[in-house]
Amino acid sequence: MDTGECQPLYHEIRDFFEGMQMKIKQEIPMLLVERQALNEAVESERDGQHHMPETRGLCLSEEQTVNTIFKRPRIVAGNRFIDMRIGPTKLTRHCEVTAILVLYGLPRLLTGSILAHELMHAWLRLNGFRNLLPEVEEGICQVIAHMWLESEVMAGSSNSSSSKKSKAPRTPADKKLGEFFLHQIANDSSPIYGSGFRAGHSSMMQYGLKRTLDHIKYTGRFP
């Protein structure tokens, strides 16, 4: 619900990348924002990145001032939000990526999958992947989002003491929600996000993630 509250989850996702030998060394700010601020940031970007009709996250590469949520709202009678504190954050570009923006107020597992997707855009830019076809770039970003969600749902299914309880879905309802989000990614009918994911996932299952990424870097296509 606010930027500070989301930082531990953001660091979990960065750790997930590091666990795949894909550490992101740059410190990239992550901000939770309202719909209007996200839409304005999308309009200001000039990267040619493809966006879903209902954008929920953005890997920002331009310098901008973005209104971000510093303090979560209180919900009062009639489901009204009060006492939300919003303020401008000036984002300065230190590398290929300026910031990650995510829509506030979403469930933890959905927020995490959006963060994983947007961080993969960041990783691609920081590692010299250029001018990829939308279905290739969005497809491989969806593969990473799906992998993270899968790891969370599996962690929730494991009763072993070694599973990371702090990261596992909290309840059976969380597990069901995670399975629903996995199903959404896998069965998306969009030619860019859905077909891109299925082509990327098939390549990863056949060749592994590293070989798939190497192939994308040198050919611009999935193996």
Side-chain angles (χ1 to χ4, degrees), residues 58-186:
L58 178 65
C59 179
L60 198 64
S61 57
E62 300 290 331
E63 294 199 349
Q64 292 189 29
T65 297
V66 176
N67 280 327
T68 186
I69 299 169
F70 294 124
K71 181 188 170 200
R72 64 184 296 154
R74 287 192 302 119
I75 302 173
V76 295
N79 282 334
R80 287 184 304 112
F81 284 12
I82 62 168
D83 293 347
M84 182 192 283
R85 192 155 63 82
I86 298 171
T89 300
K90 183 165 174 46
L91 297 169
T92 309
R93 182 174 165 139
H94 298 293
C95 62
E96 291 289 313
V97 178
T98 312
I100 303 283
L101 307 183
V102 177
L103 188 63
Y104 89 108
L106 300 175
R108 174 184 172 274
L109 288 173
L110 182 55
T111 302
S113 69
I114 295 166
L115 279 170
H117 178 106
E118 298 304 333
L119 265 178
M120 188 57 186
H121 279 300
W123 187 89
L124 291 169
R125 286 184 202 172
L126 294 167
N127 285 276
F129 289 71
R130 294 283 181 271
N131 304 317
L132 296 179
L133 294 169
E135 58 267 31
V136 174
E137 181 161 354
E138 299 301 341
I140 199 66
C141 290
Q142 286 294 74
V143 166
I144 299 299
H146 190 273
M147 285 173 68
W148 179 78
L149 272 172
E150 216 166 31
S151 74
E152 290 288 297
V153 171
M154 293 297 286
S157 303
S158 168
N159 295 319
S160 72
S161 57
S162 64
S163 73
K164 296 178 182 175
K165 291 177 185 172
S166 66
K167 298 184 183 182
R170 275 52 172 176
T171 64
D174 280 343
K175 184 171 179 290
K176 276 197 177 305
L177 195 58
E179 288 168 348
F180 171 70
F181 294 141
L182 283 169
H183 181 270
Q184 267 195 324
I185 291 172

